[in-house]
Structures are given as structure tokens and as C-alpha cells.
Amino acid sequence: MRHRVKTVKLQRDAAHRDALLANLVCSLIEHRRIRTTLAKAKAVRPLADRMVTLGKRGDLHARRLAVAALRQKDVVKTLFEEIAVASKDRNGGYTRITKLGQRQSDSAPMAFIEWVDAYVPSMAAASDSAAEAETAEAPEEEAAAAK
């Protein structure tokens, strides 16, 4: 019986759908936030949450299951070392979907999907922190030269 068993098919066959969802999760891990259609965002959420749960387990078997699902070892390393660590106190709901409105070309509903706990650096904040680091190093160098 197929009670409450549901798969979002996204008008693709099984292999294409699996590759699409794996690539979306890899992009989400790498970029921390991606812009996609609402249907794809809703389809990728369960897989992304499952990968974070594996990352929180942290054992070798969980790492091998994640590599089998995502097919990229460097992305799995980032997942286990950064994303899962940031979500260690959360018991689920690791992703957030924010609706953006219609895409202009075909009126498809668009959305952002992002991690709830992961830090997303902005361009301005990154340049400010780099400038602060440079000014902090200058007085130390002057003090060392004075000695």
C-alpha cells in the first residue's frame, strides 16, 4: 500500500530528479543560499534536512551515506564540519524557504532556500572585517619596530 508516500516528480524521470536534487543540495551547502523555483525548493528541503541529520551524527557510516547521496566529497566535508556544527542544537527545520514572487520570463514562482543557522557573509561585512584586521595589525607592527 502507498499510504502517505509522496514524491515530487518535477516532470523528470527518477535519475534526472535524483541528480537535480543532489546538485541543488550541493549548491546550497556551498553558497549557503540559492534562488530556485518554489517547487524545487520544496522538493530539496527534505533531502537537505536529511543530510544535516547525517552530518550531526558524524560517524563514518553517515559520511558514506552522504557521499552516496551527494556524490561530492568536498561538499560533504563542508556539510559535516560547518553546516552540521552550526545546527547542533536544532532538532529539525534546518532550512528556510522565502518566497520571492514570479519570474518575469515564464511567471514561475521563485524562492530562496537557505540554512537557518549557517552564517551567510555579505560583501560589505567581509570588506569591513578585512579593513579592521589590517588596522589591528598596524599598531602591533609599530610596537614591535619600536622595541
Side-chain angles (χ1 to χ4, degrees):
M1 292 186 183
R2 288 183 28 92
H3 297 302
R4 297 180 62 111
V5 176
K6 178 181 166 186
T7 300
V8 179
K9 295 193 177 181
L10 300 173
Q11 299 181 353
R12 290 160 170 84
D13 61 4
H16 188 186
R17 185 172 53 247
D18 291 343
L20 171 77
L21 295 178
N23 286 332
L24 283 171
V25 172
C26 290
S27 295
L28 182 62
I29 292 168
E30 184 179 351
H31 299 291
R32 305 291 198 263
R33 179 170 87 167
I34 57 174
R35 181 174 185 256
T36 184
T37 62
L38 184 61
K40 289 178 188 174
K42 287 181 178 181
V44 80
R45 174 185 270 182
L47 182 61
D49 287 351
R50 197 170 309 122
M51 292 300 113
V52 173
T53 303
L54 288 175
K56 286 171 61 176
R57 270 179 42 193
D59 58 350
L60 180 61
H61 183 60
R63 188 174 294 266
R64 287 179 175 164
L65 288 174
V67 169
L70 299 180
R71 304 177 188 100
Q72 294 183 22
K73 290 182 182 179
D74 55 339
V75 172
V76 171
K77 182 178 180 184
T78 304
L79 170 71
F80 275 63
E81 292 177 357
E82 296 175 16
I83 306 293
V85 172
S87 300
K88 68 179 180 210
D89 296 329
R90 187 174 293 273
N91 290 329
Y94 307 111
T95 56
R96 172 187 304 128
I97 294 177
T98 307
K99 295 180 182 178
L100 296 175
Q102 307 283 324
R103 183 164 50 195
Q104 188 172 6
S105 62
D106 61 352
S107 296
M110 299 299 288
F112 273 129
I113 181 166
E114 60 189 349
W115 301 112
V116 174
D117 293 324
Y119 172 69
V120 179
S122 65
M123 297 303 284
S127 63
D128 290 342
S129 63
E132 290 175 6
E134 290 175 5
T135 57
E137 292 174 2
E140 294 172 0
E141 293 172 0
E142 292 173 4
K147 291 180 182 179

